[in-house]
mmCIF file of all heavy atoms in Angstrom:
data_model
loop_
_atom_site.group_PDB
_atom_site.id
_atom_site.type_symbol
_atom_site.label_atom_id
_atom_site.label_comp_id
_atom_site.label_asym_id
_atom_site.label_seq_id
_atom_site.Cartn_x
_atom_site.Cartn_y
_atom_site.Cartn_z
ATOM 1 N N ASP A 1 -2.546 -23.847 21.635
ATOM 2 C CA ASP A 1 -2.324 -22.601 22.367
ATOM 3 C C ASP A 1 -1.874 -21.509 21.376
ATOM 4 O O ASP A 1 -0.927 -21.798 20.577
ATOM 5 C CB ASP A 1 -1.233 -22.847 23.451
ATOM 6 C CG ASP A 1 -1.080 -21.724 24.441
ATOM 7 O OD1 ASP A 1 -1.415 -20.548 24.106
ATOM 8 O OD2 ASP A 1 -0.644 -21.981 25.551
ATOM 9 N N ALA A 2 -2.456 -20.339 21.471
ATOM 10 C CA ALA A 2 -1.978 -19.253 20.643
ATOM 11 C C ALA A 2 -0.534 -18.900 20.862
ATOM 12 O O ALA A 2 0.083 -18.257 20.000
ATOM 13 C CB ALA A 2 -2.849 -18.024 20.922
ATOM 14 N N LEU A 3 0.041 -19.310 22.005
ATOM 15 C CA LEU A 3 1.428 -18.978 22.305
ATOM 16 C C LEU A 3 2.409 -20.100 21.985
ATOM 17 O O LEU A 3 3.549 -20.102 22.452
ATOM 18 C CB LEU A 3 1.544 -18.618 23.819
ATOM 19 C CG LEU A 3 0.655 -17.466 24.317
ATOM 20 C CD1 LEU A 3 0.926 -17.215 25.776
ATOM 21 C CD2 LEU A 3 0.842 -16.197 23.506
ATOM 22 N N VAL A 4 1.965 -21.062 21.146
ATOM 23 C CA VAL A 4 2.876 -22.196 20.908
ATOM 24 C C VAL A 4 4.167 -21.762 20.289
ATOM 25 O O VAL A 4 5.248 -22.274 20.632
ATOM 26 C CB VAL A 4 2.121 -23.269 20.051
ATOM 27 C CG1 VAL A 4 1.748 -22.759 18.646
ATOM 28 C CG2 VAL A 4 2.978 -24.525 19.915
ATOM 29 N N ASP A 5 4.157 -20.787 19.335
ATOM 30 C CA ASP A 5 5.411 -20.338 18.786
ATOM 31 C C ASP A 5 6.359 -19.809 19.768
ATOM 32 O O ASP A 5 7.593 -19.925 19.616
ATOM 33 C CB ASP A 5 5.133 -19.242 17.710
ATOM 34 C CG ASP A 5 4.700 -19.844 16.352
ATOM 35 O OD1 ASP A 5 4.704 -21.047 16.186
ATOM 36 O OD2 ASP A 5 4.327 -19.041 15.481
ATOM 37 N N ASP A 6 5.859 -19.104 20.796
ATOM 38 C CA ASP A 6 6.713 -18.484 21.775
ATOM 39 C C ASP A 6 7.634 -19.527 22.437
ATOM 40 O O ASP A 6 8.837 -19.279 22.620
ATOM 41 C CB ASP A 6 5.864 -17.736 22.789
ATOM 42 C CG ASP A 6 5.122 -16.574 22.262
ATOM 43 O OD1 ASP A 6 4.161 -16.825 21.466
ATOM 44 O OD2 ASP A 6 5.510 -15.431 22.513
ATOM 45 N N SER A 7 7.050 -20.669 22.809
ATOM 46 C CA SER A 7 7.887 -21.681 23.462
ATOM 47 C C SER A 7 8.822 -22.339 22.440
ATOM 48 O O SER A 7 9.962 -22.635 22.762
ATOM 49 C CB SER A 7 6.987 -22.777 24.076
ATOM 50 O OG SER A 7 6.335 -22.271 25.246
ATOM 51 N N LEU A 8 8.360 -22.588 21.224
ATOM 52 C CA LEU A 8 9.185 -23.193 20.228
ATOM 53 C C LEU A 8 10.385 -22.270 19.884
ATOM 54 O O LEU A 8 11.537 -22.740 19.828
ATOM 55 C CB LEU A 8 8.394 -23.421 18.934
ATOM 56 C CG LEU A 8 7.176 -24.332 19.024
ATOM 57 C CD1 LEU A 8 6.580 -24.559 17.630
ATOM 58 C CD2 LEU A 8 7.496 -25.670 19.624
ATOM 59 N N PHE A 9 10.137 -21.009 19.737
ATOM 60 C CA PHE A 9 11.202 -20.056 19.368
ATOM 61 C C PHE A 9 12.152 -19.850 20.517
ATOM 62 O O PHE A 9 13.397 -19.841 20.359
ATOM 63 C CB PHE A 9 10.605 -18.731 18.962
ATOM 64 C CG PHE A 9 9.756 -18.729 17.694
ATOM 65 C CD1 PHE A 9 9.079 -17.601 17.330
ATOM 66 C CD2 PHE A 9 9.604 -19.871 16.939
ATOM 67 C CE1 PHE A 9 8.276 -17.604 16.192
ATOM 68 C CE2 PHE A 9 8.832 -19.911 15.796
ATOM 69 C CZ PHE A 9 8.138 -18.756 15.422
ATOM 70 N N MET A 10 11.593 -19.649 21.728
ATOM 71 C CA MET A 10 12.472 -19.377 22.888
ATOM 72 C C MET A 10 13.300 -20.582 23.262
ATOM 73 O O MET A 10 14.467 -20.436 23.664
ATOM 74 C CB MET A 10 11.599 -18.904 24.060
ATOM 75 C CG MET A 10 12.383 -18.302 25.235
ATOM 76 S SD MET A 10 13.206 -16.738 24.745
ATOM 77 C CE MET A 10 13.503 -16.023 26.399
ATOM 78 N N HIS A 11 12.750 -21.757 23.166
ATOM 79 C CA HIS A 11 13.532 -22.977 23.415
ATOM 80 C C HIS A 11 14.708 -23.032 22.496
ATOM 81 O O HIS A 11 15.840 -23.346 22.900
ATOM 82 C CB HIS A 11 12.622 -24.204 23.212
ATOM 83 C CG HIS A 11 13.328 -25.514 23.250
ATOM 84 N ND1 HIS A 11 13.599 -26.224 22.110
ATOM 85 C CD2 HIS A 11 13.888 -26.244 24.234
ATOM 86 C CE1 HIS A 11 14.260 -27.336 22.387
ATOM 87 N NE2 HIS A 11 14.441 -27.354 23.705
ATOM 88 N N ALA A 12 14.513 -22.750 21.179
ATOM 89 C CA ALA A 12 15.588 -22.805 20.241
ATOM 90 C C ALA A 12 16.670 -21.729 20.540
ATOM 91 O O ALA A 12 17.849 -22.020 20.491
ATOM 92 C CB ALA A 12 15.029 -22.595 18.822
ATOM 93 N N ARG A 13 16.208 -20.554 20.873
ATOM 94 C CA ARG A 13 17.188 -19.490 21.213
ATOM 95 C C ARG A 13 17.936 -19.778 22.493
ATOM 96 O O ARG A 13 19.086 -19.407 22.628
ATOM 97 C CB ARG A 13 16.484 -18.136 21.256
ATOM 98 C CG ARG A 13 16.023 -17.575 19.941
ATOM 99 C CD ARG A 13 16.190 -16.047 19.849
ATOM 100 N NE ARG A 13 17.549 -15.656 20.007
ATOM 101 C CZ ARG A 13 18.008 -14.758 20.902
ATOM 102 N NH1 ARG A 13 17.145 -14.222 21.756
ATOM 103 N NH2 ARG A 13 19.261 -14.455 20.937
ATOM 104 N N TRP A 14 17.274 -20.387 23.465
ATOM 105 C CA TRP A 14 17.910 -20.723 24.719
ATOM 106 C C TRP A 14 19.075 -21.675 24.476
ATOM 107 O O TRP A 14 20.161 -21.501 25.011
ATOM 108 C CB TRP A 14 16.872 -21.349 25.656
ATOM 109 C CG TRP A 14 17.147 -21.251 27.156
ATOM 110 C CD1 TRP A 14 17.832 -22.159 27.876
ATOM 111 C CD2 TRP A 14 16.741 -20.220 28.064
ATOM 112 N NE1 TRP A 14 17.898 -21.736 29.209
ATOM 113 C CE2 TRP A 14 17.208 -20.595 29.340
ATOM 114 C CE3 TRP A 14 16.020 -19.062 27.871
ATOM 115 C CZ2 TRP A 14 16.967 -19.774 30.460
ATOM 116 C CZ3 TRP A 14 15.781 -18.245 28.998
ATOM 117 C CH2 TRP A 14 16.258 -18.627 30.259
ATOM 118 N N ILE A 15 18.818 -22.691 23.672
ATOM 119 C CA ILE A 15 19.830 -23.641 23.321
ATOM 120 C C ILE A 15 20.921 -23.008 22.478
ATOM 121 O O ILE A 15 22.099 -23.246 22.709
ATOM 122 C CB ILE A 15 19.198 -24.837 22.561
ATOM 123 C CG1 ILE A 15 18.371 -25.679 23.556
ATOM 124 C CG2 ILE A 15 20.263 -25.723 21.923
ATOM 125 C CD1 ILE A 15 17.647 -26.810 22.901
ATOM 126 N N ALA A 16 20.553 -22.188 21.548
ATOM 127 C CA ALA A 16 21.531 -21.541 20.658
ATOM 128 C C ALA A 16 22.489 -20.643 21.428
ATOM 129 O O ALA A 16 23.589 -20.372 20.974
ATOM 130 C CB ALA A 16 20.837 -20.705 19.560
ATOM 131 N N ALA A 17 22.020 -20.155 22.596
ATOM 132 C CA ALA A 17 22.869 -19.321 23.436
ATOM 133 C C ALA A 17 23.822 -20.203 24.326
ATOM 134 O O ALA A 17 24.579 -19.647 25.120
ATOM 135 C CB ALA A 17 22.023 -18.453 24.319
ATOM 136 N N GLY A 18 23.714 -21.517 24.185
ATOM 137 C CA GLY A 18 24.609 -22.435 24.955
ATOM 138 C C GLY A 18 24.065 -22.907 26.254
ATOM 139 O O GLY A 18 24.832 -23.441 27.057
ATOM 140 N N ASN A 19 22.740 -22.721 26.464
ATOM 141 C CA ASN A 19 22.130 -23.145 27.705
ATOM 142 C C ASN A 19 21.435 -24.500 27.528
ATOM 143 O O ASN A 19 20.976 -24.803 26.398
ATOM 144 C CB ASN A 19 21.108 -22.136 28.191
ATOM 145 C CG ASN A 19 21.631 -20.732 28.248
ATOM 146 O OD1 ASN A 19 22.629 -20.457 28.906
ATOM 147 N ND2 ASN A 19 21.004 -19.839 27.515
ATOM 148 N N ASP A 20 21.312 -25.260 28.572
ATOM 149 C CA ASP A 20 20.512 -26.503 28.547
ATOM 150 C C ASP A 20 19.037 -26.136 28.548
ATOM 151 O O ASP A 20 18.601 -25.194 29.264
ATOM 152 C CB ASP A 20 20.776 -27.376 29.777
ATOM 153 C CG ASP A 20 22.156 -28.065 29.643
ATOM 154 O OD1 ASP A 20 22.611 -28.276 28.538
ATOM 155 O OD2 ASP A 20 22.737 -28.349 30.707
ATOM 156 N N ALA A 21 18.262 -26.865 27.770
ATOM 157 C CA ALA A 21 16.832 -26.604 27.742
ATOM 158 C C ALA A 21 16.076 -27.835 27.232
ATOM 159 O O ALA A 21 16.630 -28.639 26.441
ATOM 160 C CB ALA A 21 16.464 -25.437 26.847
ATOM 161 N N ASP A 22 14.912 -28.039 27.756
ATOM 162 C CA ASP A 22 14.002 -29.144 27.320
ATOM 163 C C ASP A 22 12.713 -28.512 26.887
ATOM 164 O O ASP A 22 12.335 -27.438 27.383
ATOM 165 C CB ASP A 22 13.801 -30.090 28.465
ATOM 166 C CG ASP A 22 13.554 -31.536 27.974
ATOM 167 O OD1 ASP A 22 13.336 -31.690 26.751
ATOM 168 O OD2 ASP A 22 13.586 -32.459 28.762
ATOM 169 N N LEU A 23 12.014 -29.198 26.020
ATOM 170 C CA LEU A 23 10.746 -28.723 25.464
ATOM 171 C C LEU A 23 9.693 -29.833 25.574
ATOM 172 O O LEU A 23 9.938 -30.984 25.117
ATOM 173 C CB LEU A 23 10.935 -28.322 23.975
ATOM 174 C CG LEU A 23 9.671 -27.919 23.245
ATOM 175 C CD1 LEU A 23 9.035 -26.683 23.789
ATOM 176 C CD2 LEU A 23 10.026 -27.726 21.763
ATOM 177 N N ALA A 24 8.598 -29.540 26.217
ATOM 178 C CA ALA A 24 7.491 -30.485 26.366
ATOM 179 C C ALA A 24 6.278 -29.970 25.589
ATOM 180 O O ALA A 24 5.757 -28.912 25.965
ATOM 181 C CB ALA A 24 7.129 -30.683 27.849
ATOM 182 N N VAL A 25 5.893 -30.706 24.574
ATOM 183 C CA VAL A 25 4.762 -30.253 23.700
ATOM 184 C C VAL A 25 3.637 -31.213 23.961
ATOM 185 O O VAL A 25 3.778 -32.462 23.830
ATOM 186 C CB VAL A 25 5.183 -30.278 22.212
ATOM 187 C CG1 VAL A 25 3.978 -29.898 21.350
ATOM 188 C CG2 VAL A 25 6.316 -29.289 21.991
ATOM 189 N N TYR A 26 2.452 -30.683 24.286
ATOM 190 C CA TYR A 26 1.253 -31.481 24.658
ATOM 191 C C TYR A 26 0.202 -31.398 23.563
ATOM 192 O O TYR A 26 -0.397 -30.315 23.371
ATOM 193 C CB TYR A 26 0.728 -31.030 25.998
ATOM 194 C CG TYR A 26 1.762 -31.269 27.121
ATOM 195 C CD1 TYR A 26 2.685 -30.297 27.465
ATOM 196 C CD2 TYR A 26 1.796 -32.518 27.737
ATOM 197 C CE1 TYR A 26 3.632 -30.562 28.459
ATOM 198 C CE2 TYR A 26 2.744 -32.741 28.727
ATOM 199 C CZ TYR A 26 3.659 -31.761 29.094
ATOM 200 O OH TYR A 26 4.605 -32.009 30.045
ATOM 201 N N PRO A 27 -0.041 -32.477 22.858
ATOM 202 C CA PRO A 27 -1.056 -32.452 21.745
ATOM 203 C C PRO A 27 -2.415 -32.011 22.215
ATOM 204 O O PRO A 27 -3.018 -32.602 23.160
ATOM 205 C CB PRO A 27 -1.072 -33.884 21.231
ATOM 206 C CG PRO A 27 0.286 -34.435 21.608
ATOM 207 C CD PRO A 27 0.588 -33.792 22.925
#
């Protein structure tokens, strides 16, 4: 997906802000 970075980056920032987050990556 052309938007793969968006989920990777936002997941990291969500957690860095102190929120719970999960990331599902589909090959």
Side-chain angles (χ1 to χ4, degrees):
D1 191 334
L3 304 182
V4 63
D5 279 354
D6 294 71
S7 289
L8 303 184
F9 296 174
M10 193 66 161
H11 170 255
R13 288 216 62 234
W14 204 269
I15 289 175
N19 310 302
D20 286 332
D22 209 349
L23 174 64
V25 177
Y26 296 91

